Amino acid sequence: MGFKLSGITKNKNVRMNNIRNHKKIIILALISMLCLVVFTGCIPNGYTRKEKNTFLKEARKMAAAYLESTYSGAKVKSIDINTAVENMEYVLTEFATGQFSWQGESYRFVVDTGTGEVYTSVQLENVKELLCEMLLMDFGIDSHEAAVVNCNIRYLQGGGPGEGQLNWGWVEERNVFPEGKTAGELVLEILTDERAYSLDIDIQYKGGEIPQEILEEEPFVLTLEDIGIYHVAEDYELYEGERGYAFLPCLSEEFIQCSYKDDTAEYVRNQVLERDNLRVVYNAYERTRSHETISEKTIDERNIDLTVRDDYIALSCTKEHFRMYLLTTDRKIAQNYLYAFDYAVSQKKPRKGEWHAQGDYYIYSGPKDSETPYAFNSLKEEKNVIFSEENYHIF
């Protein structure tokens, strides 16, 4: 009898363990599926293709009617849905976005199918120009030539129809504005209505130096979150172009970046080292504010080590965490030294880098997957080495 009870108890324990194991497997599977959904973006659609097409047909009709009546000759070029995520599914919102052509130019639009309102980017360039002028003036910067190289004006989540806001939910659209207002009226709203707008902007200019007092000042624009101001050297042209070029500090004599949301600011002044047809631009002075704490860092030419040989170029700094940029006017150098080897990343295989033409210079961008394109991040006792194509395997 004891034997039978022992056997039953043993079998029961086995079954319980099996059940627990099955539960663990199910739970792990559910967690894995959830992680797959979150990290791969494989969230299912909560609408059918027919529902999508029906919605887009109505949205296109609504947008086209408004645009053609307001901007004579305007034509809708493209339109697509805006979605939000609810209960782990993509769902249709009331908004559709697209592009339309008018007088030879292309503009963006958003249509709210619930209210019939249309928002466009027609005023964007005028708004950017006014914002640039007002911000530089308020920062006390004497500028005789300036350009906005990056601008994100967005509506904040919240509010609803009738409150002067776009009720985006999880949907975010940038640089489109309510219709029927002048650029001046829009700028006034953008700078003062912190419930409806937030702003981050980057400006390049020629003129007087950047006043360092900016670092101590509180934000004067309620909606301003981030701003970058770049004082461009006189021998460079102002431009609006590819983002990577637009933010190259090596094209600027000094620059400041402020994040009012996090209450941080960084002022940088560059110096130039020229040797063997190469130019190294490095951050000679950095002044950083984090909340109420201000710190300073300096380096000079003695801290920079530039070695140029037929088989490689080596660049390093005896101090840590300073950014350096390498340029040349010699096309042969740009064609010959094509491979980058970063000791901090790998000592096995070199990673290919590139030179990009900008004005009279070729700027070395380093490996394509670098977190800071174009910049060599200085790590003490380590070198950034660019090999010639024939000798990149030297080490």
Side-chain angles (χ1 to χ4, degrees), residues 9 24 36 54 77 142 162 166-167 198 235 255 257 291-292 317 382:
T9 302
K24 286 181 180 179
L36 187 65
T54 300
K77 296 169 59 178
D142 177 24
L166 296 183
N167 186 19
S198 67
D235 57 337
F255 62 94
Q257 293 175 304
H291 302 285
E292 296 181 357
C317 178
E382 295 174 345

PDB file of all heavy atoms in Angstrom, residues 9 24 36 54 77 142 162 166-167 198 235 255 257 291-292 317 382:
ATOM      1  N   THR A   9       2.068   9.593  -5.398  1.00  0.00           N
ATOM      2  CA  THR A   9       2.642  10.892  -5.038  1.00  0.00           C
ATOM      3  C   THR A   9       3.709  11.311  -6.032  1.00  0.00           C
ATOM      4  O   THR A   9       3.792  12.468  -6.460  1.00  0.00           O
ATOM      5  CB  THR A   9       3.252  10.815  -3.627  1.00  0.00           C
ATOM      6  OG1 THR A   9       2.240  10.424  -2.719  1.00  0.00           O
ATOM      7  CG2 THR A   9       3.837  12.168  -3.216  1.00  0.00           C
ATOM      8  N   LYS A  24       5.512  27.920 -17.616  1.00  0.00           N
ATOM      9  CA  LYS A  24       6.703  28.732 -17.861  1.00  0.00           C
ATOM     10  C   LYS A  24       6.940  28.927 -19.357  1.00  0.00           C
ATOM     11  O   LYS A  24       7.274  30.010 -19.815  1.00  0.00           O
ATOM     12  CB  LYS A  24       7.933  28.052 -17.231  1.00  0.00           C
ATOM     13  CG  LYS A  24       7.979  28.149 -15.715  1.00  0.00           C
ATOM     14  CD  LYS A  24       9.233  27.473 -15.186  1.00  0.00           C
ATOM     15  CE  LYS A  24       9.288  27.554 -13.663  1.00  0.00           C
ATOM     16  NZ  LYS A  24      10.503  26.867 -13.141  1.00  0.00           N
ATOM     17  N   LEU A  36       8.967  40.839 -29.321  1.00  0.00           N
ATOM     18  CA  LEU A  36       9.061  40.881 -30.782  1.00  0.00           C
ATOM     19  C   LEU A  36       8.211  41.999 -31.350  1.00  0.00           C
ATOM     20  O   LEU A  36       8.631  42.736 -32.241  1.00  0.00           O
ATOM     21  CB  LEU A  36       8.617  39.534 -31.357  1.00  0.00           C
ATOM     22  CG  LEU A  36       8.805  39.346 -32.873  1.00  0.00           C
ATOM     23  CD1 LEU A  36      10.287  39.352 -33.222  1.00  0.00           C
ATOM     24  CD2 LEU A  36       8.160  38.046 -33.332  1.00  0.00           C
ATOM     25  N   THR A  54     -11.228  53.488 -48.196  1.00  0.00           N
ATOM     26  CA  THR A  54     -12.419  54.340 -48.071  1.00  0.00           C
ATOM     27  C   THR A  54     -12.075  55.645 -47.354  1.00  0.00           C
ATOM     28  O   THR A  54     -12.491  56.728 -47.764  1.00  0.00           O
ATOM     29  CB  THR A  54     -13.530  53.604 -47.298  1.00  0.00           C
ATOM     30  OG1 THR A  54     -13.870  52.406 -48.001  1.00  0.00           O
ATOM     31  CG2 THR A  54     -14.763  54.475 -47.147  1.00  0.00           C
ATOM     32  N   LYS A  77      -0.647  65.545 -54.751  1.00  0.00           N
ATOM     33  CA  LYS A  77       0.295  64.605 -55.356  1.00  0.00           C
ATOM     34  C   LYS A  77       0.272  63.249 -54.669  1.00  0.00           C
ATOM     35  O   LYS A  77       0.422  62.208 -55.311  1.00  0.00           O
ATOM     36  CB  LYS A  77       1.712  65.188 -55.307  1.00  0.00           C
ATOM     37  CG  LYS A  77       1.896  66.452 -56.130  1.00  0.00           C
ATOM     38  CD  LYS A  77       3.229  67.139 -55.825  1.00  0.00           C
ATOM     39  CE  LYS A  77       4.412  66.229 -56.106  1.00  0.00           C
ATOM     40  NZ  LYS A  77       5.691  66.942 -55.847  1.00  0.00           N
ATOM     41  N   ASP A 142      24.781  89.937 -33.338  1.00  0.00           N
ATOM     42  CA  ASP A 142      24.839  90.841 -34.480  1.00  0.00           C
ATOM     43  C   ASP A 142      25.122  90.030 -35.736  1.00  0.00           C
ATOM     44  O   ASP A 142      26.236  89.555 -35.944  1.00  0.00           O
ATOM     45  CB  ASP A 142      25.928  91.891 -34.257  1.00  0.00           C
ATOM     46  CG  ASP A 142      26.083  92.823 -35.449  1.00  0.00           C
ATOM     47  OD1 ASP A 142      25.112  92.968 -36.208  1.00  0.00           O
ATOM     48  OD2 ASP A 142      27.176  93.388 -35.615  1.00  0.00           O
ATOM     49  N   GLY A 162     -11.411  73.295 -31.061  1.00  0.00           N
ATOM     50  CA  GLY A 162     -11.929  74.506 -30.433  1.00  0.00           C
ATOM     51  C   GLY A 162     -10.980  75.117 -29.428  1.00  0.00           C
ATOM     52  O   GLY A 162     -11.209  76.203 -28.927  1.00  0.00           O
ATOM     53  N   LEU A 166      -4.070  70.974 -32.239  1.00  0.00           N
ATOM     54  CA  LEU A 166      -4.368  69.763 -32.987  1.00  0.00           C
ATOM     55  C   LEU A 166      -4.407  68.600 -32.010  1.00  0.00           C
ATOM     56  O   LEU A 166      -3.454  68.375 -31.275  1.00  0.00           O
ATOM     57  CB  LEU A 166      -3.287  69.503 -34.045  1.00  0.00           C
ATOM     58  CG  LEU A 166      -3.178  70.557 -35.149  1.00  0.00           C
ATOM     59  CD1 LEU A 166      -2.134  70.122 -36.153  1.00  0.00           C
ATOM     60  CD2 LEU A 166      -4.514  70.740 -35.842  1.00  0.00           C
ATOM     61  N   ASN A 167      -5.476  67.877 -31.997  1.00  0.00           N
ATOM     62  CA  ASN A 167      -5.611  66.753 -31.075  1.00  0.00           C
ATOM     63  C   ASN A 167      -4.984  65.513 -31.715  1.00  0.00           C
ATOM     64  O   ASN A 167      -5.659  64.637 -32.218  1.00  0.00           O
ATOM     65  CB  ASN A 167      -7.091  66.512 -30.764  1.00  0.00           C
ATOM     66  CG  ASN A 167      -7.266  65.445 -29.706  1.00  0.00           C
ATOM     67  OD1 ASN A 167      -6.336  65.139 -28.984  1.00  0.00           O
ATOM     68  ND2 ASN A 167      -8.455  64.899 -29.632  1.00  0.00           N
ATOM     69  N   SER A 198       5.818  73.354 -29.603  1.00  0.00           N
ATOM     70  CA  SER A 198       7.189  73.253 -29.097  1.00  0.00           C
ATOM     71  C   SER A 198       8.116  73.444 -30.282  1.00  0.00           C
ATOM     72  O   SER A 198       7.767  73.140 -31.428  1.00  0.00           O
ATOM     73  CB  SER A 198       7.449  71.917 -28.402  1.00  0.00           C
ATOM     74  OG  SER A 198       7.399  70.856 -29.342  1.00  0.00           O
ATOM     75  N   ASP A 235      35.045  82.478 -44.640  1.00  0.00           N
ATOM     76  CA  ASP A 235      35.409  81.858 -45.915  1.00  0.00           C
ATOM     77  C   ASP A 235      34.507  80.685 -46.274  1.00  0.00           C
ATOM     78  O   ASP A 235      34.747  79.974 -47.234  1.00  0.00           O
ATOM     79  CB  ASP A 235      36.875  81.390 -45.904  1.00  0.00           C
ATOM     80  CG  ASP A 235      37.158  80.433 -44.761  1.00  0.00           C
ATOM     81  OD1 ASP A 235      36.410  80.478 -43.773  1.00  0.00           O
ATOM     82  OD2 ASP A 235      38.119  79.665 -44.864  1.00  0.00           O
ATOM     83  N   PHE A 255      30.265  77.681 -31.775  1.00  0.00           N
ATOM     84  CA  PHE A 255      28.838  77.350 -31.785  1.00  0.00           C
ATOM     85  C   PHE A 255      28.355  77.127 -30.362  1.00  0.00           C
ATOM     86  O   PHE A 255      29.124  76.868 -29.446  1.00  0.00           O
ATOM     87  CB  PHE A 255      28.537  76.140 -32.666  1.00  0.00           C
ATOM     88  CG  PHE A 255      29.196  74.858 -32.248  1.00  0.00           C
ATOM     89  CD1 PHE A 255      28.541  73.944 -31.440  1.00  0.00           C
ATOM     90  CD2 PHE A 255      30.478  74.557 -32.677  1.00  0.00           C
ATOM     91  CE1 PHE A 255      29.138  72.759 -31.069  1.00  0.00           C
ATOM     92  CE2 PHE A 255      31.090  73.367 -32.299  1.00  0.00           C
ATOM     93  CZ  PHE A 255      30.427  72.472 -31.499  1.00  0.00           C
ATOM     94  N   GLN A 257      25.004  75.227 -28.228  1.00  0.00           N
ATOM     95  CA  GLN A 257      23.815  74.386 -28.259  1.00  0.00           C
ATOM     96  C   GLN A 257      23.153  74.433 -26.890  1.00  0.00           C
ATOM     97  O   GLN A 257      23.811  74.210 -25.879  1.00  0.00           O
ATOM     98  CB  GLN A 257      24.186  72.948 -28.634  1.00  0.00           C
ATOM     99  CG  GLN A 257      24.697  72.816 -30.061  1.00  0.00           C
ATOM    100  CD  GLN A 257      25.183  71.424 -30.382  1.00  0.00           C
ATOM    101  OE1 GLN A 257      26.048  70.890 -29.704  1.00  0.00           O
ATOM    102  NE2 GLN A 257      24.624  70.833 -31.422  1.00  0.00           N
ATOM    103  N   HIS A 291      22.270  72.534 -15.527  1.00  0.00           N
ATOM    104  CA  HIS A 291      21.490  73.149 -14.460  1.00  0.00           C
ATOM    105  C   HIS A 291      22.248  74.383 -13.952  1.00  0.00           C
ATOM    106  O   HIS A 291      22.470  75.302 -14.697  1.00  0.00           O
ATOM    107  CB  HIS A 291      21.172  72.135 -13.370  1.00  0.00           C
ATOM    108  CG  HIS A 291      20.416  70.953 -13.907  1.00  0.00           C
ATOM    109  ND1 HIS A 291      19.076  71.010 -14.236  1.00  0.00           N
ATOM    110  CD2 HIS A 291      20.824  69.700 -14.216  1.00  0.00           C
ATOM    111  CE1 HIS A 291      18.684  69.847 -14.716  1.00  0.00           C
ATOM    112  NE2 HIS A 291      19.717  69.030 -14.715  1.00  0.00           N
ATOM    113  N   GLU A 292      22.716  74.403 -12.711  1.00  0.00           N
ATOM    114  CA  GLU A 292      23.399  75.591 -12.200  1.00  0.00           C
ATOM    115  C   GLU A 292      24.915  75.419 -12.140  1.00  0.00           C
ATOM    116  O   GLU A 292      25.624  76.294 -11.670  1.00  0.00           O
ATOM    117  CB  GLU A 292      22.870  75.940 -10.801  1.00  0.00           C
ATOM    118  CG  GLU A 292      21.392  76.325 -10.795  1.00  0.00           C
ATOM    119  CD  GLU A 292      20.912  76.689  -9.415  1.00  0.00           C
ATOM    120  OE1 GLU A 292      21.706  76.581  -8.458  1.00  0.00           O
ATOM    121  OE2 GLU A 292      19.729  77.103  -9.297  1.00  0.00           O
ATOM    122  N   CYS A 317      44.661  62.919 -29.607  1.00  0.00           N
ATOM    123  CA  CYS A 317      44.728  64.039 -28.676  1.00  0.00           C
ATOM    124  C   CYS A 317      45.111  63.490 -27.311  1.00  0.00           C
ATOM    125  O   CYS A 317      44.641  62.422 -26.915  1.00  0.00           O
ATOM    126  CB  CYS A 317      43.385  64.757 -28.615  1.00  0.00           C
ATOM    127  SG  CYS A 317      43.334  66.134 -27.460  1.00  0.00           S
ATOM    128  N   GLU A 382      44.899  56.598 -27.414  1.00  0.00           N
ATOM    129  CA  GLU A 382      44.432  55.855 -28.585  1.00  0.00           C
ATOM    130  C   GLU A 382      44.450  56.764 -29.802  1.00  0.00           C
ATOM    131  O   GLU A 382      44.258  57.968 -29.691  1.00  0.00           O
ATOM    132  CB  GLU A 382      43.033  55.304 -28.353  1.00  0.00           C
ATOM    133  CG  GLU A 382      43.006  54.270 -27.232  1.00  0.00           C
ATOM    134  CD  GLU A 382      41.595  53.835 -26.898  1.00  0.00           C
ATOM    135  OE1 GLU A 382      40.665  54.516 -27.319  1.00  0.00           O
ATOM    136  OE2 GLU A 382      41.455  52.822 -26.208  1.00  0.00           O
TER     137      GLU A 382
END
